[in-house]
Amino acid sequence: MKTYSLSCNWQISMPKDWNGEYNEADGQYVFFPDGSDLTIRATPFHAERDGVLAPEQVMEKAYMSSIPPTAVQRDAEPYSLSGFAVKMYENNVTMGNQMLYVIYVGYYAAGELLSVSVWGTDKPQCEQALEYLKTIKKQ
């Protein structure tokens, strides 16, 4: 496994044969294996004003605003992280003529949010990739 340091003091580990890239335009980290349409996207946020962290409810609302209305909530307990609330949703999205399965996971606390999504055409492969979320840490 290779550990990636993300902004806002987050980290995640991915298999060594996966690629990891940072997209400056949207502040998103993108991880993917060669020869596959499976993608894990992670976007960290930190919010404070004059040294005061944004309330947890504000961070939750920010995360929830990114979830499509058609998404269905799932049990996020297996992917919990100490000190953070977590919510998980799943959805099917059509892009072009291709159906994609998407799992959205949000970790949030006062002033902190890590929004993660798993994208792919193979649902079992997406479910298996969720195991990598168990490596997420806040430093």
Side-chain angles (χ1 to χ4, degrees):
M1 297 288 276
K2 179 178 180 184
T3 299
Y4 292 86
S5 293
L6 314 180
S7 58
C8 303
N9 296 317
W10 290 95
Q11 68 177 213
I12 188 169
S13 296
M14 294 289 172
K16 288 183 180 181
D17 61 344
W18 280 47
N19 298 296
E21 299 174 354
Y22 178 67
N23 182 331
E24 278 191 54
D26 60 13
Q28 195 171 77
Y29 296 85
V30 182
F31 305 97
F32 55 95
D34 284 331
S36 173
D37 63 10
L38 179 65
T39 306
I40 296 177
R41 300 174 179 274
T43 310
F45 299 93
H46 177 82
E48 67 178 84
R49 182 180 296 151
D50 300 323
V52 178
L53 296 175
E56 180 177 319
Q57 296 83 357
V58 169
M59 304 312 286
E60 177 185 17
K61 187 176 180 181
Y63 170 67
M64 293 304 298
S65 71
S66 71
I67 303 302
T70 55
V72 176
Q73 190 165 10
R74 293 177 45 150
D75 176 22
E77 183 60 32
Y79 308 99
S80 63
L81 182 63
S82 180
F84 288 85
V86 60
K87 286 193 174 180
M88 177 183 272
Y89 294 83
E90 65 180 54
N91 200 21
N92 289 308
V93 177
T94 303
M95 293 185 120
N97 61 352
Q98 194 168 39
M99 179 66 72
L100 296 174
Y101 179 67
V102 186
I103 304 168
Y104 305 93
V105 185
Y107 298 92
Y108 56 91
E112 303 294 339
L113 169 61
L114 180 65
S115 180
V116 180
S117 56
V118 179
W119 297 73
T121 55
D122 184 337
K123 183 176 179 175
Q125 189 180 41
C126 291
E127 295 288 343
Q128 186 177 9
L130 285 174
E131 287 302 306
Y132 304 130
L133 274 56
K134 293 179 179 177
T135 69
I136 292 174
K137 293 180 184 164
K138 177 73 170 159
Q139 301 169 346

